[in-house]
Amino acid sequence: MSETTTAGNNVPSDLEIAQRAVMKPIGEIAAAAGINPEALELYGPYKAKIDPSKLNVAAGAAAGTPLRTPARTPGKVVLVSAMSPTPAGEGKSTTTVGLADSLARAGHKVMIALREPSLGPILGMKGGATGGGYSQVLPMDQINLHFTGDFHAITSANNALMALVDNHIFQGNELNIDPRRMTFKRVLDMNDRSLREVVIGLGGPAQGIPRQDGFDITVASEIMAVFCLATDLNDLRERLGRITFGYTYDRQPVTVADLGVQGALTMLLKDAIKPNLVQTIAGTPALVHGGPFANIAHGCNSLIATQTARSLADIVVTEAGFGADLGAEKYMDIKARMADVAPSAVVLVATVRALKMHGGVAKDRLKEPNVEALAAGVANLQRHIRNVEKFGIVPVVAVNKFATDTAEELDWLIEWCAAEGVQAAVADVWGRGGGGDGGDELAAKVAAALDAPHAFRHLYPLDMSVEDKIRTIVQEVYGADGVDFSVPALKRLAEIEKNGWSGMPVCMAKTQYSFTDDATRLGAPKGFTVHVRDLIPKTGAGFIVALTGAVMTMPGLPKVPAAMRMDVDDSGNPVGLF
């Protein structure tokens, strides 16, 4: 989200800052990162894909006999998360970029690993995912729009699967698929509430078999989750084959492998699966790849990108979506189980503005100094701090500075963090840039945290029942008294147990604005119950999605979408994009 909040009317927008920046040719960025030309696939002068299978191949090696450089120790991971988000803005991506730039400025070999933005929120309300101010990844406009086409490939693969499923049913249905028990939907990379529930196959016998269907947003697709958790092309194919898209008339699960189309889906994703290389304004290399939401999916960039970055850099700065109750918990309990990517340090982003909002201040009053509201709101940050510590890591708090913050408020917050036993630093990376000195103090504290001893652990063991895993997350992370399962959810629990899927981790689908499943309850509520309305086994991704409250897997647009202010100038350059 853009942090264009500096006082005055002449402050350039994020887009204007990005357009004025001078980018280096992507080949120079790749060379500085240690990426050999054979592994680089150019998408114009400032974007490229990396083929991990060709990394470190010696120039001039005979075909089929690559000469690899000696193995290096994989880089350490810094996971950037945050307090519960508010309409006031927190700036997690901005802090991620600024921190990485500041670590590079201090002499560390650094790479960034971020998610790709979804078009739906860009045209809707949330904004992009490329940072802001002078801490951005570039080319900002291209990344926030179609980029290298990865999301289109994922959308195509998802919808090809469903076209093949419905064709199979129409052509005789040898697999005995029950159209009433389909668990997989078509997707679109757009916020479109009118597509949540649809009926397909109307128009007579030649048009297919009528059935109720619906659309999810692309970032909620299981193919997106599979894409982001696969370790290589072969693992991608195997995971795609394990996807359960529905059930037979006798209630047996039906998979993509049963249909025999995992090869075709892999073919559609073979180029998209390669990580995308871009750069920050300061010239730090960044891999931007994959993009599941953290409120309805697992909220992390691709595992391939993270591992590629670790093979090239000493420090990898990555982020997980929304607050630490969602993205960070899922990073620890899902992504870090799939591969050796457990963080060595965790950063929690907080702002004075957002904490005052959690303390009861209305958005239009946040510019007014109010230490009392700040003191009331830090309960939200405190719960996130304690939650991260449950994974065996003491976080560092990054206070993302806004122009309206007072010295009294900033000093109070830093002193409060010290009393809580955590390191904290004010980061002015929006206005002064990570390439400048705005993030130096934060970078020093994070570098020290990377060298501090820690004992990473997961929140729950995989052999725990799905019901108890959910209860553990709800009570330990959200602070709830308990969990209420609907009748359909209880039936799904029994099906999961019967089908042997109970050994998978849980991915909670919950509002990002509150620890509860009610978006209006800010701060650190107590005395509440989380309501699980349904459970969806994602057998390809390897986790169980628990749908809570009223969270939607296809968002809608706001009353005044951001698209209303967007255009292009006479030269075709974007206007009004943040």
Side-chain angles (χ1 to χ4, degrees), residues 418-478:
E420 289 291 317
V422 295
Q423 294 290 311
V426 175
D428 187 9
V429 294
W430 189 95
R432 288 156 61 189
D437 61 357
D440 285 358
E441 183 182 358
L442 175 63
K445 290 183 181 296
V446 171
L450 284 170
D451 292 332
H454 67 276
F456 174 79
R457 56 184 177 269
H458 302 294
L459 189 65
Y460 54 81
L462 289 179
D463 58 5
M464 181 182 283
S465 71
V466 173
E467 183 177 355
D468 286 341
K469 289 170 188 169
I470 293 172
R471 185 171 289 108
T472 298
I473 295 171
V474 162
Q475 293 178 333
E476 292 292 322
V477 176
Y478 305 161

Side-chain angles (χ1 to χ4, degrees), residues 84-163:
S84 299
T86 71
E90 289 68 53
K92 188 166 69 273
S93 296
T94 301
T95 303
T96 299
V97 175
L99 170 61
D101 284 342
S102 297
L103 286 166
R105 167 182 156 90
H108 300 282
K109 188 174 178 60
V110 183
M111 280 192 93
I112 299 170
L114 292 175
R115 294 175 299 162
E116 298 180 52
S118 169
L119 277 176
I122 288 168
L123 298 180
M125 180 176 67
K126 179 181 176 293
T130 57
Y134 292 91
S135 292
Q136 298 188 57
V137 285
L138 305 174
M140 177 266 246
D141 56 332
Q142 295 179 36
I143 295 169
N144 277 309
L145 297 177
H146 304 286
F147 201 19
T148 58
D150 294 345
F151 279 24
H152 300 299
I154 292 166
T155 301
S156 297
N158 185 106
N159 295 342
L161 169 59
M162 295 318 296

Side-chain angles (χ1 to χ4, degrees), residues 149-347:
D150 294 345
F151 279 24
H152 300 299
I154 292 166
T155 301
S156 297
N158 185 106
N159 295 342
L161 169 59
M162 295 318 296
L164 290 161
V165 168
D166 282 309
N167 181 66
H168 178 89
I169 295 172
F170 176 76
Q171 300 290 355
N173 199 3
E174 291 183 12
L175 291 175
N176 199 32
I177 300 166
D178 186 346
R180 304 165 303 172
R181 293 193 170 90
M182 208 71 68
T183 58
F184 211 89
K185 296 182 178 182
R186 287 166 168 83
V187 298
L188 186 71
D189 189 28
M190 189 56 54
N191 293 6
D192 193 345
R193 63 174 57 83
S194 63
L195 292 178
R196 288 171 183 163
E197 299 290 341
V198 301
V199 177
I200 63 172
L202 300 180
Q207 312 307 324
I209 307 298
R211 69 175 180 89
Q212 187 174 351
D213 197 7
F215 279 74
D216 290 332
I217 192 167
T218 297
V219 292
S221 168
E222 184 174 0
I223 291 185
M224 174 67 82
V226 164
F227 180 93
C228 287
L229 291 171
T231 55
D232 55 30
L233 201 60
N234 289 330
D235 186 44
L236 175 66
R237 183 186 297 105
E238 291 175 6
R239 285 179 177 275
L240 290 169
R242 293 199 298 267
I243 290 174
T244 299
F245 59 78
Y247 295 83
T248 64
Y249 282 101
D250 55 355
R251 304 198 178 191
Q252 297 301 308
V254 189
T255 68
V256 170
D258 293 330
L259 194 63
V261 299
Q262 65 270 35
L265 304 186
T266 305
M267 180 184 69
L268 292 174
L269 298 171
K270 68 178 181 64
D271 294 318
I273 199 66
K274 300 169 185 175
N276 306 299
L277 177 68
V278 288
Q279 62 189 286
T280 71
I281 289 176
T284 304
L287 298 181
V288 180
H289 195 227
F293 281 176
N295 59 343
I296 52 179
H298 74 283
C300 308
N301 68 275
S302 78
L303 181 57
I304 289 177
T306 304
Q307 292 289 53
T308 300
R310 292 187 72 210
S311 73
L312 294 164
D314 297 326
I315 299 174
V316 176
V317 184
T318 189
E319 70 171 38
F322 296 124
D325 58 320
L326 288 170
E329 185 273 318
K330 293 171 183 180
Y331 187 100
M332 312 287 199
D333 281 325
I334 296 176
K335 184 171 179 176
R337 289 187 198 267
M338 304 291 180
D340 179 26
V341 292
S344 297
V346 174
V347 175

Side-chain angles (χ1 to χ4, degrees), residues 1 11 51 63 65 76 78 139 182-183 188 225 237 279 287 326 337 342 351 364 389 437 467 474 485 528 534:
M1 183 176 290
V11 176
D51 187 342
T65 57
K76 295 180 179 180
V78 177
M182 208 71 68
T183 58
L188 186 71
R237 183 186 297 105
Q279 62 189 286
L287 298 181
L326 288 170
R337 289 187 198 267
T351 68
D364 59 0
E389 290 174 345
D437 61 357
E467 183 177 355
V474 162
F485 292 91
F528 64 92
D534 203 358

